[in-house]
Structures are given as structure tokens and as C-alpha cells.
Amino acid sequence: MHIDTNIKVLDAIRALAFIGDLSMGQPTDHSLRTAWLSGQIALAATQLEGTCETAQQVAMLRWSGCTANAPEFADLIGDDVAGRAIMLARQPDDPAFTYVATRMQTAAPSLMQIHCEVSGDIAKLLGVSKEVEFSLRNIFEHFSGDTPENERPKRAIPDSVFIVSLASDLEILSRAQGIERAKTVIASKSGIAYPQELVAIVIQYADQWLACLGANEDWQNSVMADAGLAALLVPLELIADVIDLKLPWMAGNSRRVALAARMSAQSIGLDSSAQERCYRSALLYGIGRASVANTIWNTPGPLPGSAREQVRLAPYWTARAARQIGSLAEDAEIASYAGERLDGSGYFRGCQGAAMPIEGKVVAAATAWVALQSQRPWRSAYSRPEAILLLHKDADAGRFERNVVHALCGLNGEGSSEISAAGVDLQLTAREIDVFRGISRGQTNKEVARELGISPSTVRTHVEKVFRKLECTTRAAATLKALTLRLL
């Protein structure tokens, strides 16, 4: 059975904005507000009025690369979500900001490279304009007004980059430090980080614009209203792949859960529409994962109570996403049942059997089935017989539907043939694919070498070849491309 997973690009952009806001520790309307402010700046700068559409799209996709460098952020500052929120708020008297800023001094270029390459690749996959893609690949560039001409970036940076950065500064700093302080900080960068004429516009209209944002939510209707993207479609799997980039050991997880959910739904006799809902919902079940720090997901032992509560709220954020993503609302709502159990022991609702839609029951069981057979930081993967035993125990205890569990345990891993076909098309050798699978899931060269019985230098050579064939420079970008090509 063919399942249509194409969604409107506009809805994909809204989903990516939601995930990005969670990843950056921002309110879930931050990107929307920044997009609206970007449009106002472009319209007020009459010579840049034509950039309004581009600026709004860039603002919505600005944080789309956040899941890609979350592992590196976590290694650098610990809590990748809270740390990035601190970084953006820029409170100079906050010791936490000083700590983050100090840690970022030498690491920033590599983190930005990952972010920009992935967000640019996402833009390319979405089919948006070349200008939007180029802006995202250079989203962290500054005006360099205080830099000698011969030392400025050789490539011309689009005005949309400065517009979006200014809008984001105004949106975040006005919340964190108040409007007057925000204007003072922005004014101090005039002619240095931002063009003077744009800063003057922001200072002049900041109070008026922020008052409009606070009055009601009518302004949301104008964000990307004339974006010219209405006819464009993109596979929903792209959102799943971006979600999974946050944790290397989750690479390809959402696709595997979706396949298991669809096949088990078919096995228990659900109609084609229900099967499609199971598949699409499973692709989205990890949206809320972006709200939880990698340090929590990577904890090797039992979680303290506060951390457990954050994990339990991850599906809540998936449910919240359902209210902001247009045509994906029903899918995201079903996806938010992934942590629920029939006996009421699940999260976040703690609902019981009859309160769960059948698609939610399927997604919940499929999530557990795939997780049991996958390695996690706190345990090794269970063998298939062990996973069958454990899932049946949960069914016996009343946590999962027996017929769904029976269907899942009867699956034989169909769909794997697509992986080898994609590898052949790219002229990847079997060894290169084996090596890259390990690297993409967070293993070091030494770990992959030990697992495959080859030398670390050989692993490095294989990785370089894969990056060259995939036309990528970072692990995250290569992983995203490999996921879209079904190599992982």
C-alpha cells in the first residue's frame, strides 16, 4: 500500500520553526514573531520592501539547523536547550551567560558551520528560493561595518540576514531585558553588526511593533501569507529526519517507528486511512524531544525526578505543535500519545484505554517495539526474542493492546532493500555504508574501527569518501542526506 506523506511546504516550515524554538529554549511563537518583525523592517526600509517574503521565510527557518549541532552544544555547555536560551538573552551580569560566552569563543565557528550547512540543505530540500537558501547558509554573518574593506567577507551577504538578526534581537532582548534596554543594545551595534539605516528603523518603530504583537494574534495571519509556496509539497519524512538529528543514536528512529506502526496497523485490519494516520503520526512523535536537553537523554543511569518530569512533558510539546501546524494538526495530536499506556501509567496525560485513539495505541506500541531493539545510552539493544518477551509482558500487564503487540512481534523488517538501492546509486561500497552508519549514530572512529575490525585510519578514509560522495562537510549534514536517501 502506497502512503502519501507529502505535506505543504508552508506547514513543514511551521513545524521546523516550532522544533527550532524548542531547541533554542524559546517560546514556541518566537520564530513567528521574528518573521512578522522581519517583514515590518523590510517594509519600513522601502528600498528593501522586495525582501519581505524572503526575510520571513529565513526567520521561520533560522533555527532549523539547531537539532544538528545539539550534540556538540551539549558536549560544550551541558544543557544545550537552556544554554542556548542564555546565549540569546545576553544578560551581561549573569554568570551563566559569562560561562556560555567563554565556552563559545573557540567553538562557535564549528558549531555555526554545522548549523548553516544543515539549515541550507533543509531549505534546498524544501524547494524554497536560492536567496532563502543562501541566507540560511550565511545566517550568522555580521555587517562588519567596523572591519576594513579588505578583511570583510568576500561574498555579498543578503539584506535578509541582517533583517532577521535584528528582528530576533528585538524579539528576544525585549522579553529578556525590556524594550528600552533592547533598543540600547541594538543601537550599540549600529554600523558594526548591522547597517545603520536598519538599526534606525528598528529604534523608531520598536515600541509600535511590539505593542501590535502584544495586542492580539491577528498578526500571525500575515506571516508568509504571500510566500508563493502554496503549491509546493515536501515529504513528511524530512521533519522526522530533522527531529532525529538531535541525538545521533536516534538517527532513522522515527522512520523505523513509522514503518512498524503502518505494518502493524495493516496486520490488525485497520483501513487504509487509519494506516496512513499511524505512519504519519509516528514520523512526528519526537517533536517534543527538542525541548529536553541532550544531557538528560544521554544519562546512563536512573533520572532524577526533575529530569523525569521533563521527559514526561516531551509529548505535551508534540501536542502543542498540533495547534500550530495547519494540516499536520491531527497527525501531531495522535503522535502525542506515544508515551501513553492503556493502564494509565504513561505520559503526559496518564489516560487509559478507551481515551486513546486506536492510532495512538499503535504508535505507542510501535515506539516501544523499536526502542527495545535499539541501543540506548543506558542499555544495550535487546535481541528480537528478548524484545518480543518484554513487549508481551507489557501487554499482559495491560499497558499495550494484545493484538497490536502480536502484530508487531510478527514483523520481519521489510523495507530494508531500499537502503542498498540508494547506496548503489551513490556508488557507496558496503564497507563505506557500514562505517558511516556507526559515525552517524555518534560513534567515534576508534569505536567504529573496533566494531568492524579495521584501523581508525581506514575508518577516517571511508568517512572522507562518504562525505565527498554525499557532498557534505559535517557529520550532521551527511546524516540528514543519508536519511533522506534511506542509507540509515
Side-chain angles (χ1 to χ4, degrees):
M1 170 191 160
H2 171 72
I3 290 184
D4 181 15
T5 63
N6 284 332
I7 62 172
K8 295 178 181 178
V9 163
L10 284 170
D11 287 334
I13 290 174
R14 286 180 177 269
L16 291 166
F18 189 94
I19 294 166
D21 289 346
L22 289 180
S23 298
M24 297 300 291
Q26 298 303 304
T28 55
D29 63 349
H30 160 66
S31 289
L32 271 173
R33 290 164 63 90
T34 300
W36 185 83
L37 288 168
S38 297
Q40 299 307 304
I41 295 172
L43 292 173
T46 53
Q47 76 278 16
L48 300 178
E49 187 174 351
T51 67
C52 180
E53 177 182 318
T54 296
Q56 289 197 336
Q57 292 179 43
V58 172
M60 292 291 284
L61 292 170
R62 188 188 190 205
W63 302 131
S64 59
C66 286
T67 56
N69 62 12
E72 288 76 12
F73 255 105
D75 291 341
L76 183 70
I77 59 178
D79 188 330
D80 55 296
V81 178
R84 288 193 274 203
I86 291 168
M87 177 182 68
L88 292 177
R90 292 206 299 274
Q91 297 272 19
D93 298 329
D94 183 358
F97 172 74
T98 302
Y99 171 78
V100 172
T102 301
R103 299 285 289 172
M104 284 289 293
Q105 283 180 349
T106 56
S110 62
L111 291 170
M112 290 177 182
Q113 180 186 2
I114 296 169
H115 182 116
C116 290
E117 183 172 19
V118 169
S119 60
D121 287 351
I122 289 171
K124 188 173 184 178
L125 290 167
L126 289 171
V128 295
S129 72
K130 291 292 184 182
E131 186 175 0
V132 171
E133 179 187 338
F134 186 73
S135 296
L136 290 167
R137 293 190 188 278
N138 296 277
I139 196 62
F140 296 113
E141 293 287 359
H142 276 193
F143 176 61
S144 302
D146 63 343
T147 303
E149 189 68 33
N150 63 344
E151 295 181 17
R152 294 184 188 181
K154 294 181 180 179
R155 56 191 179 277
I157 305 303
D159 292 309
S160 56
V161 170
F162 306 130
I163 290 173
V164 171
S165 295
L166 267 169
S168 181
D169 271 356
L170 177 60
E171 202 287 318
I172 294 173
L173 295 177
S174 62
R175 281 189 287 106
Q177 303 185 35
I179 296 177
E180 293 307 315
R181 175 60 183 165
K183 290 192 291 186
T184 298
V185 173
I186 290 171
S188 70
K189 297 181 180 182
S190 180
I192 302 173
Y194 304 121
Q196 291 178 331
E197 58 272 22
L198 293 183
V199 170
I201 288 171
V202 170
I203 299 303
Q204 179 180 355
Y205 292 105
D207 294 83
Q208 176 184 326
W209 291 339
L210 292 171
C212 183
L213 286 175
N216 53 57
E217 296 184 352
D218 292 344
W219 55 269
Q220 293 188 15
N221 298 325
S222 65
V223 175
M224 297 194 305
D226 301 312
L229 302 174
L232 294 182
L233 301 174
V234 67
L236 186 56
E237 284 85 353
L238 173 60
I239 308 301
D241 296 341
V242 172
I243 290 169
D244 290 351
L245 285 180
K246 178 173 168 64
L247 296 160
W249 44 269
M250 292 289 276
N253 174 82
S254 296
R255 287 179 182 257
R256 291 191 292 274
V257 173
L259 183 60
R262 180 189 69 78
M263 294 174 66
S264 60
Q266 182 182 38
S267 181
I268 65 174
L270 296 187
D271 63 29
S272 58
S273 295
Q275 292 176 42
E276 184 171 302
R277 285 193 294 273
C278 288
Y279 184 84
R280 290 166 59 96
S281 299
L283 289 173
L284 295 175
Y285 92 91
I287 285 178
R289 195 183 305 140
S291 67
V292 182
N294 276 25
T295 47
I296 291 178
W297 294 119
N298 290 326
T299 301
L303 291 174
S306 58
R308 286 199 306 274
E309 189 61 21
Q310 290 187 54
V311 170
R312 291 174 65 86
L313 285 176
Y316 163 80
W317 289 110
T318 303
R320 290 294 302 161
R323 302 177 184 275
Q324 296 188 23
I325 315 178
S327 64
L328 299 182
E330 182 182 14
D331 298 323
E333 178 67 19
I334 293 171
S336 69
Y337 283 89
E340 302 290 354
R341 298 295 181 261
L342 299 181
D343 63 353
S345 63
Y347 51 87
F348 66 100
R349 300 174 183 86
C351 62
Q352 294 183 308
M356 292 177 64
I358 182 58
E359 297 92 342
K361 296 174 183 178
V362 170
V363 171
T367 302
W369 171 244
V370 172
L372 286 170
Q373 297 176 84
S374 305
Q375 185 172 347
R376 296 292 185 252
W378 54 91
R379 62 161 173 78
S380 300
Y382 290 105
S383 67
R384 180 182 173 83
E386 291 172 329
I388 289 174
L389 179 63
L390 289 169
L391 205 64
H392 274 296
K393 282 186 176 180
D394 277 335
D396 292 341
R399 287 186 279 273
F400 295 124
E401 290 276 5
R402 289 183 182 277
N403 63 335
V404 176
V405 167
H406 181 75
L408 286 166
C409 294
L411 299 181
N412 293 312
E414 291 86 339
S416 59
S417 60
E418 298 174 65
I419 294 176
S420 58
V424 170
D425 289 341
L426 283 166
Q427 296 183 326
L428 292 178
T429 66
R431 178 61 86 189
E432 286 170 352
I433 291 176
D434 287 341
V435 167
F436 185 63
R437 279 175 177 158
I439 294 298
S440 67
R441 290 171 182 161
Q443 290 180 295
T444 64
N445 285 6
K446 288 183 178 180
E447 289 171 337
V448 173
R450 185 165 55 249
E451 184 176 289
L452 298 178
I454 56 180
S455 70
S457 61
T458 301
V459 170
R460 184 171 60 253
T461 299
H462 284 315
V463 171
E464 290 171 353
K465 289 181 178 178
V466 172
F467 277 24
R468 186 167 59 252
K469 292 177 181 179
L470 293 177
E471 299 180 338
C472 298
T473 65
T474 63
R475 177 202 62 80
T479 299
L480 178 61
K481 184 165 286 188
L483 287 169
T484 61
L485 294 171
R486 299 303 305 273
L487 294 174
L488 300 175

